[in-house]
Amino acid sequence: MPEYCVTGGTGFIAAYLVKSLLEKGHTVRTTVRDPDDAQKVGFLKKFEGAKERLMILKADLLVDGSFHEAIEGVDGVFHTASPLLVPYDHDIQATLIDPCIKGTLNVLGSCSKTKSVKRVVLTSSCSAIRYREDAQQVSPLNESHWSDPEYCKRHNLWYAYAKTLAEKEAWRVANESGIDLIVVNPSFVIGPLLAPQPSSTLLLTMLLIKGMRGECPNTALGFVHIDDVVGAHILAMENNEASGRLICSGQVAHWSHIIVMLKAKYPSYPYENKFGNQKGDNNPHTMDTSKIARLGFPPFKTIENMFDDFITSLQQKGFL
């Protein structure tokens, strides 16, 4: 049974990935910035099989060599750790771009130094695909399409900018080092809460439902259930025919459509009722998922399904 490393274990995708791999019987190492922070990492230790087969190790995206211990001797690495931009945080370079790009180079550097690693699965994003002037014209967007960094800079789309540059760097290093790299490009990930507190994307969505964000994003984007994202990562690692990039996305919708859908089903919440005027983020498009489907991946869960699961979990945990 292969042993895996999952970076950034307390993140939304990473935590579900750790849980799923343990349930399948794998030994898992995961990295966090502070393994002694019981409040943040405690929930990972409660997973089935964690006591016997989970190691939680210290690593920092910006510290050279800090992933060596976690990666040395494992069969595969899932690099999911990546910062999301915190609202009102103005030091974008230090808090978002540097950790995203340098962290990817740091992890791949450790992977290239150990002969045990057979494959690396990198979590990128559909944000590295859909931000370009001609998105609507070339839609449906597929794995050959890339976001334009200049477009991202023009429209202050810094997360997309960082993810695009980080993924391009990952491909460069993988090609130079001979690393077998597969990249999963998920869209906006939604689903039940697993950690004690909502992650950035779940918090954004919760604030929209509670009418506490100030405005709703003027954004058209794909949505994907966390179960599908985890399934895509495991397929990317285990399927010998997987290669290159894999788009992982359900239906594309504008946030206004999501709010209307949720209001009809859950009318008691206040919801945001005004929209931002961001330009460059609302291009209508669709995502082509035929590549992952050809590898045997089942149909993606519906938007209704993913938001029902999300809201139910928040209700059960007392956040809604």
Side-chain angles (χ1 to χ4, degrees), residues 132-192:
R132 39 192 292 155
E133 293 290 355
D134 61 352
Q136 195 170 353
Q137 288 75 32
V138 299
S139 178
L141 299 167
N142 61 40
E143 285 82 1
S144 71
H145 294 116
W146 283 87
S147 290
D148 174 6
E150 293 305 314
Y151 179 93
C152 295
K153 283 201 283 189
R154 251 194 330 275
H155 296 289
N156 293 318
L157 299 164
W158 297 112
Y159 177 73
Y161 176 80
K163 292 301 272 190
T164 303
L165 295 191
E167 190 190 335
K168 290 204 169 195
E169 280 294 279
W171 283 117
R172 179 186 64 77
V173 172
N175 290 332
E176 288 173 3
S177 310
I179 294 171
D180 180 12
L181 177 68
I182 312 287
V183 173
V184 178
N185 298 82
S187 51
F188 191 96
V189 187
I190 201 84

Side-chain angles (χ1 to χ4, degrees), residues 1-6 21 25-29 53 55 57 69-78 116-118 237:
M1 184 72 78
E3 181 174 353
Y4 294 125
C5 171
V6 180
L21 291 168
H26 294 285
T27 298
V28 181
R29 302 179 198 175
R53 289 179 280 106
M55 289 174 63
L57 301 164
E69 183 187 356
I71 288 172
E72 179 63 48
V74 300
D75 300 282
V77 174
F78 295 92
S116 67
V117 174
K118 298 175 184 65
M237 181 64 78

Side-chain angles (χ1 to χ4, degrees), residues 170-278:
W171 283 117
R172 179 186 64 77
V173 172
N175 290 332
E176 288 173 3
S177 310
I179 294 171
D180 180 12
L181 177 68
I182 312 287
V183 173
V184 178
N185 298 82
S187 51
F188 191 96
V189 187
I190 201 84
L193 180 61
L194 189 61
Q197 295 292 324
S199 63
S200 305
T201 50
L202 298 187
L203 182 62
L204 159 72
T205 311
M206 184 178 82
L207 293 177
L208 294 178
I209 292 168
K210 296 174 90 167
M212 293 170 61
R213 192 173 179 269
E215 63 180 27
C216 199
N218 178 28
T219 309
L221 73 169
F223 292 86
V224 64
H225 197 293
I226 183 63
D227 291 350
D228 287 331
V229 177
V230 171
H233 279 74
I234 292 172
L235 175 143
M237 181 64 78
E238 295 181 347
N239 189 317
N240 291 331
E241 293 178 19
S243 65
R245 310 168 92 194
L246 293 170
I247 288 174
C248 178
S249 178
Q251 183 185 340
V252 174
H254 194 278
W255 270 111
S256 58
H257 167 84
I258 302 297
I259 297 293
V260 168
M261 177 190 77
L262 293 179
K263 273 184 177 176
K265 194 158 190 183
Y266 305 97
S268 62
Y269 299 115
Y271 298 99
E272 288 297 349
N273 57 12
K274 63 176 184 176
F275 285 83
N277 60 358
Q278 310 100 306

Side-chain angles (χ1 to χ4, degrees), residues 60-64 79 81-83 85 91-106 158 161-163 165-166 169:
D60 189 310
L61 291 169
L62 292 175
V63 177
D64 286 345
H79 178 38
S82 183
L85 188 58
D91 194 352
I92 292 165
Q93 188 71 39
T95 57
L96 176 69
I97 297 170
D98 287 349
C100 193
I101 296 170
K102 290 181 181 176
T104 299
L105 296 177
N106 202 353
W158 297 112
Y161 176 80
K163 292 301 272 190
L165 295 191
E169 280 294 279

